[in-house]
Structure formats: structure tokens, C-alpha cells
Amino acid sequence: MGRTGQRIRALFLAATVVAGLGSAAPAFASEPDGCAGWQVETLASGLEQVENLEPDGQDGFYLSGDTKVYHVDGSGQVRTVMENLAAPGGLQLHGTNLYILTRQDGKLWRLDTVTGEFTWLADFPGNGLLRLPDGNFLTTWVGTEGGPSRGVSHYNSDTGVVTANWAPVPRGEGLALSSDHRTVYTDDLFTGQVYRIPLDTPDRWSVVTTVPGLLPGLDDLATSGDGDIYVAAHFLGAVHRVDPDSGATCAVTTGLPVGWAGPSSVRIEADGDRFALFVTAFDGTVRRVRPPADVELTPVQRA
């Protein structure tokens, strides 16, 4: 089944899961402050269905489309970096190396952005991608791939060993590191739940919250320096802000495409002398979501 078929199937399966939860679903926490006044602006459009984005550290981004990897600079100019890839998904940049996960064939690659050298690193089936401070990688099992659950899988970059179900969460989409580098968060397309995974004890994962809505379709997430989590709700066309301590959640914007065309990835990056959210969507766009003046937004510092 292709990527589009898998997502459509996921939509129906997720609706079934949510309907089956009934009164057993976790209650939604109260809404936190600082959720009004965010402004949305389109930076780039006309791209493939954009799955993921990764800041380049110079006010630009790398983006993964259906078959391509793009680069968008700070002025919004787009160029194609690579094409004819097998459904590129998660992206991570470290130095001049861009790590790319191709979902269709389940492989992890390294692109030297200076020389253009493209190197296969491992068979690593998954969707989201996170490079940990120790240089190892994590990826997620969405639940539409077939076969037994892989939870969150771990790749040891020194030994080349891949450990499936390193963290046995039911499913996962995006991955984000906490500000203290002790925890990883992932989200569930099917149930709207956000999971907390301690890096020292990944088998002891827990539920942070459930994002409101019959079928939010959580697709990716990012963490801020003050500990908040920002979650792209694909089917609702919204980005939600989550307090991981209380579980309180709110939509900072609902002015994004809904359904299939909805938001697929969210990151925090510099916006002049402040920071903003940058959001990709399956309508082929990159948008900037600026916080109100009284909301201080900073990214998590990664090693």
C-alpha cells in the first residue's frame, strides 16, 4: 500500500479506535494561558505534500516531500536538494550532515550538504526521526505499516544495531527532545495522545495528555525551551500547545488546512530577533505562526 493509501486507511482506523475508547478515554485538561493572538503567514507554496522540516541554523529549512528534499532559505526561495527518493520522512541536521529517513524502503541515509555525498547508514523502518545528544537515532511506528508494532525504535550509530520496541508505545509519529535532554515525546495519530518516554528507562513510558477532538490526527511535535510541547494536529488543521506537567492543552491556531491537506510538521526557529513556529502541510506549503508579544518562544538546544 502506498503512502496515500496508508494515510487514508489510518484515518478510518483511527476513527474506529477513538469510537471504541468511549468513556475510558483520558479526560482533557483545562486550557492554559497564552493561546490567543497567534498570527499565520505563508512562506512557501506549490511544493509536494510536505512531510517534515528541519531548521538549517541560518533562517532556512530542509523539507521532505513525496519524493524530494527541498531547501527553503530565509527569503522563501526554494530549491530541490534531492529527488526520486522513496518517500522521505524525518529529517535531522547535525553540522553539515542531513540525516534522512526514507519510509517506503525503511532506510536511514546521511547527506553531506557540502559535497553532496549520499550514504546509506542502516535499515531503519519508521516515520519520525530524532538524533539524540549521544549521536544515536530514534524512529517511530505509525501503525499502518503492517506486521507487529515496533513502538519507538533505536539505532546505535557506533555499533549499527537497531533495536525495535526500544520504547514499547502503541504507536508514534513525531519525536521531540525535552529541554533537559532526559525525555523524548511522541504522539499518536490514532488516539490523539502524547507520550512521555524517559531516555534512561524507555520501557516506562506514560501518557502526557489527550488532545481534544474526535480525530485530531497528531502528526508531529516540537518542544520549547520552557518545556511546552507544540503538536501538529493534521486532521483538525491546528497546532496545539501542551503543558507536559499538567496536561493542559489549547489550540494556538486553527487557521490551517483541515483533513488530508492539514499540518504535518512543526518546528521552532528564529524569526528576526524572536522565535516562531514553522509548520508544513500536505497542501504543499510552509507557514510561519508568530506568537503574541507576551509569549516567549525558544527552541530546545540540541547537542
Side-chain angles (χ1 to χ4, degrees):
M1 181 181 292
R3 174 185 174 191
T4 300
Q6 287 181 343
R7 281 297 178 98
I8 292 174
R9 178 170 176 264
L11 173 60
F12 288 105
L13 287 174
T16 302
V17 169
V18 171
L21 288 174
S23 61
F28 304 130
S30 61
E31 191 169 289
D33 296 330
C35 300
W38 295 64
Q39 299 180 338
V40 181
E41 175 188 5
T42 298
L43 296 183
S45 60
L47 309 175
E48 294 182 337
Q49 295 180 139
V50 188
E51 177 69 27
N52 207 260
L53 79 163
E54 173 71 356
D56 68 359
Q58 300 177 4
D59 298 330
F61 298 91
Y62 290 97
L63 312 169
S64 56
D66 291 322
T67 61
K68 299 179 181 180
V69 171
Y70 302 99
H71 181 265
V72 180
D73 67 19
S75 67
Q77 296 297 308
V78 180
R79 66 180 175 89
T80 298
V81 177
M82 298 196 71
E83 51 190 346
N84 300 318
L85 297 176
L91 304 172
Q92 291 282 276
L93 184 68
H94 182 67
T96 60
N97 289 321
L98 180 68
Y99 296 89
I100 303 169
L101 192 74
T102 48
R103 291 164 296 136
Q104 195 171 71
D105 56 6
K107 297 183 184 297
L108 178 63
W109 306 83
R110 181 181 61 228
L111 172 67
D112 187 318
T113 59
V114 176
T115 67
E117 182 180 1
F118 192 51
T119 306
W120 169 82
L121 297 179
D123 289 334
F124 197 40
N127 189 69
L129 185 65
L130 178 67
R131 183 184 183 276
L132 296 172
D134 61 8
N136 298 328
F137 289 85
L138 301 178
T139 191
T140 52
W141 184 86
V142 176
T144 60
E145 298 91 338
S149 172
R150 299 177 64 89
V152 172
S153 298
H154 180 277
Y155 167 66
N156 187 308
S157 58
D158 290 329
T159 65
V161 173
V162 172
T163 304
N165 268 316
W166 170 83
V169 297
R171 288 161 297 275
E173 273 273 9
L175 288 161
L177 185 66
S178 66
S179 56
D180 62 6
H181 292 191
R182 297 174 62 184
T183 300
V184 167
Y185 298 102
T186 188
D187 49 3
D188 194 322
L189 174 76
F190 287 73
T191 63
Q193 293 181 323
V194 177
Y195 303 126
R196 176 190 289 111
I197 304 170
L199 285 173
D200 290 342
T201 54
D203 58 320
R204 299 181 64 180
W205 61 273
S206 59
V207 177
V208 173
T209 196
T210 302
V211 171
L214 175 63
L215 185 60
L218 306 187
D219 202 345
D220 193 22
L221 71 175
T223 45
S224 67
D226 62 3
D228 285 337
I229 308 169
Y230 291 86
V231 188
H234 191 117
F235 300 134
L236 287 182
V239 174
H240 281 258
R241 179 182 176 188
V242 175
D243 181 333
D245 296 323
S246 68
T249 178
C250 68
V252 300
T253 178
T254 55
L256 303 174
V258 300
W260 180 258
S264 54
S265 190
V266 57
R267 295 290 180 268
I268 301 170
E269 183 56 19
D271 176 26
D273 59 358
R274 299 191 69 205
F275 290 90
L277 300 178
F278 292 83
V279 181
T280 58
F282 273 13
D283 66 348
T285 65
V286 182
R287 292 175 173 87
R288 176 170 52 209
V289 183
R290 283 176 164 157
D294 59 346
V295 174
E296 188 67 28
L297 190 64
T298 59
V300 168
Q301 299 301 312
R302 296 187 298 183

